[in-house]
Amino acid sequence: MSKIMLVLRLTAPEPLELDYALLNKEENASWQSAPWEHVPALLKQSRQIVVLIPSREVLITTVTLKTRNQRQLAQALPFALEEQLMSDPEEQHYAHYSLNSEEGLYQVAIIEHARLQLWLDFLHHNGIVPTAILPDFMALPVTDGYQTAWLGKQGLWVRQTATAGYYTSASTWPLQLNQWLTQGTEEQPIHLRVLEHTPPIPDTPQLVLAYDAIAQTQLLQATDIQSALPLNVMKGFKTQAHSQLANIWQKWQGVAWVGAVTAMIALTLQGLEIRNLQSETDALQVQNIAQFKTLFPQAREIDPDLNFGSLINAEVKKLQLNNTANSSPSALPLLKILAQVLPQQPITLQSINWNQNKLTIRFTSESTAVIPELEKVLSLALKREVNINYQRDANKVVGEFNLIAEPVG
């Protein structure tokens, strides 16, 4: 059976090597180490990529907010959690998960915006498009009713539930143990899973202990990772360059506006599945001719049997001839290149905006996996480096990039 989930455990951006596990659904796998040169081969074997980053970078907490409106919730989280933060609440990214919708109880993962951006930049640079990013305590086994504690030389990792846990230094072990003893009672003891080499723990009614063999720490259970995915820290993350775009299809000024709409028609024609039934093709042709007449009211009578792309190119050339005296930057050269490149990519074009000599393209796609390849293709076609900003939005990816037009003549 082919592997479907690749889990990468990283200690810091730019490590010399990484730990990884390849998981089948509802099975376990051993942790292994590999140099970064092996990453491309690992990526080919996986359909889902989960990246574990150090738990010390992520704060997991709960908050009660009586609202189901996601926009209101996002606005209220920084204020509700301000007292738990060491730095400016506005500099943090908040990913939340509903624990109890009736009571308004939410689990929240908090990470510095700049730090998450650094991780994503590093992964993107290495050709890794993660499905989820989680704190590394979520690699610990999760058992209903039990907390799992992993004490090592580098620190103490504790997983309290499927989506809750924390990291602290190893020296705090006595304090942690004392806290569990204080919280537990004979009627409601604390259930704790620990490694067999953990320092001796007193046998008291306040604690119910279960010991795991050291070898178990080298195994990763698929269900342990899958149960943590609702608290993916990437949820709702916006890149630093993200901004709210204007409404789709804003009217352009002059030749740039006409050229953009023309390019959109060309892209639509090239991207359509022309192998559909002839009746659908005929209906589409009628619609395109109507659009063409709207854009070019001065054009001659249209023969439906003529090549529609040739008609568009002819009208664009007329516009170019009428504006040869204009030395200001033009969007037309860029639009021609985009009309050739974009239809070959698995994206859906949303808007093209021309403002102050800058062309802004916005699109959507099913996966972030298209981003690196699209950047490569655009950079090659335009003979300049193109960087795409993107974010996840519900079940799709929204991408945006800007191009500066060159002066005519």
Side-chain angles (χ1 to χ4, degrees):
M1 180 177 178
S2 61
K3 304 295 183 180
I4 64 169
M5 179 186 289
L6 170 64
V7 181
L8 305 176
R9 184 169 60 190
L10 307 181
T11 56
E14 302 295 348
L16 296 178
E17 61 179 26
L18 74 160
D19 294 333
Y20 73 92
L22 279 168
L23 291 166
N24 287 325
K25 188 175 183 181
E26 298 180 355
E27 295 184 5
N28 59 35
S30 298
W31 284 107
Q32 302 181 59
S33 295
W36 275 98
E37 291 77 6
H38 291 182
V39 168
L42 294 174
L43 295 177
K44 292 180 180 179
Q45 302 179 57
S46 60
R47 299 180 185 175
Q48 192 176 14
I49 303 172
V50 177
V51 177
L52 303 179
I53 63 174
S55 297
R56 61 178 176 271
E57 299 192 14
V58 185
L59 171 64
I60 306 294
T61 187
T62 57
V63 65
T64 301
L65 290 171
K66 296 290 186 177
T67 179
R68 296 185 182 182
N69 184 293
Q70 295 301 303
R71 183 176 180 181
Q72 293 177 356
L73 179 63
Q75 293 174 340
L77 282 175
F79 300 99
L81 299 170
E82 184 173 7
E83 293 183 359
Q84 301 185 43
L85 304 177
M86 299 291 290
S87 55
D88 188 349
E90 297 298 325
E91 295 178 356
Q92 313 299 315
H93 170 63
Y94 306 83
H96 61 272
Y97 167 63
S98 177
L99 296 174
N100 189 317
S101 58
E102 294 297 327
E103 297 180 4
L105 183 63
Y106 294 90
Q107 193 97 62
V108 185
I110 308 170
I111 183 173
E112 287 188 3
H113 192 289
R115 190 62 181 173
L116 181 54
Q117 182 70 55
L118 180 64
W119 281 106
L120 289 172
D121 289 344
F122 164 72
L123 294 170
H124 184 226
H125 177 73
N126 286 278
I128 300 172
V129 183
T131 306
I133 295 180
L134 302 171
D136 59 6
F137 74 76
M138 289 180 174
L140 297 179
V142 58
T143 304
D144 288 343
Y146 276 80
Q147 298 186 48
T148 303
W150 179 14
L151 178 64
K153 294 181 180 180
Q154 291 77 28
L156 170 64
W157 290 261
V158 178
R159 187 170 187 177
Q160 299 162 302
T161 66
T163 56
Y166 57 89
Y167 164 88
T168 185
S169 64
S171 62
T172 64
W173 171 252
L175 296 176
Q176 293 293 313
L177 182 59
N178 182 66
Q179 184 179 30
W180 286 318
L181 291 170
T182 302
Q183 292 174 344
T185 65
E186 293 187 26
E187 295 76 18
Q188 293 183 320
I190 299 294
H191 291 71
L192 192 64
R193 291 180 61 172
V194 295
L195 295 178
E196 60 184 14
H197 80 290
T198 302
I201 299 175
D203 186 12
T204 70
Q206 289 87 359
L207 286 179
V208 176
L209 299 174
Y211 288 92
D212 290 345
I214 296 177
Q216 288 179 267
T217 64
Q218 296 303 312
L219 292 177
L220 179 64
Q221 193 78 26
T223 54
D224 292 335
I225 290 294
Q226 290 166 349
S227 64
L229 293 179
L231 206 60
N232 175 11
V233 300
M234 289 171 57
K235 284 200 303 186
F237 182 69
K238 298 179 180 179
T239 60
Q240 293 176 339
H242 176 81
S243 62
Q244 295 297 325
L245 297 177
N247 292 330
I248 298 177
W249 299 117
Q250 288 184 339
K251 288 188 176 181
W252 289 22
Q253 295 181 359
V255 178
W257 182 86
V258 176
V261 179
T262 302
M264 286 294 294
I265 295 174
L267 291 172
T268 302
L269 290 173
Q270 293 180 21
L272 290 172
E273 297 180 0
I274 58 176
R275 298 175 185 175
N276 289 342
L277 297 176
Q278 187 61 44
S279 60
E280 295 178 357
T281 304
D282 293 341
L284 180 61
Q285 183 73 349
V286 171
Q287 178 184 351
N288 288 333
I289 290 175
Q291 291 176 331
F292 183 87
K293 289 180 178 179
T294 301
L295 292 172
F296 303 105
Q298 305 301 322
R300 58 183 172 81
E301 188 64 25
I302 300 171
D303 184 348
D305 295 330
L306 293 179
N307 182 282
F308 199 68
S310 299
L311 293 174
I312 294 175
N313 289 332
E315 295 303 320
V316 170
K317 288 180 179 179
K318 291 180 182 178
L319 292 172
Q320 290 176 320
L321 291 174
N322 292 335
N323 291 275
T324 52
N326 185 0
S327 61
S328 61
S330 171
L332 289 176
L334 295 176
L335 291 170
K336 285 186 176 180
I337 296 176
L338 294 177
Q340 297 172 355
V341 173
L342 296 184
Q344 312 304 321
Q345 304 301 315
I347 64 174
T348 301
L349 200 61
Q350 296 296 315
S351 67
I352 301 178
N353 189 31
W354 172 257
N355 187 24
Q356 296 182 348
N357 303 334
K358 182 172 71 174
L359 195 64
T360 301
I361 313 296
R362 193 185 190 199
F363 63 88
T364 61
S365 67
E366 297 297 325
S367 168
T368 54
V370 310
I371 302 299
E373 180 62 22
L374 184 55
E375 285 185 333
K376 180 180 177 181
V377 171
L378 287 171
S379 299
L380 183 63
L382 294 166
K383 298 181 179 180
R384 69 180 80 169
E385 184 176 359
V386 176
N387 294 312
I388 298 177
N389 298 312
Y390 64 93
Q391 69 171 44
R392 291 186 176 272
D393 184 3
N395 295 323
K396 63 182 179 181
V397 175
V398 178
E400 176 188 338
F401 60 92
N402 298 314
L403 302 174
I404 304 300
E406 300 292 340
V408 176

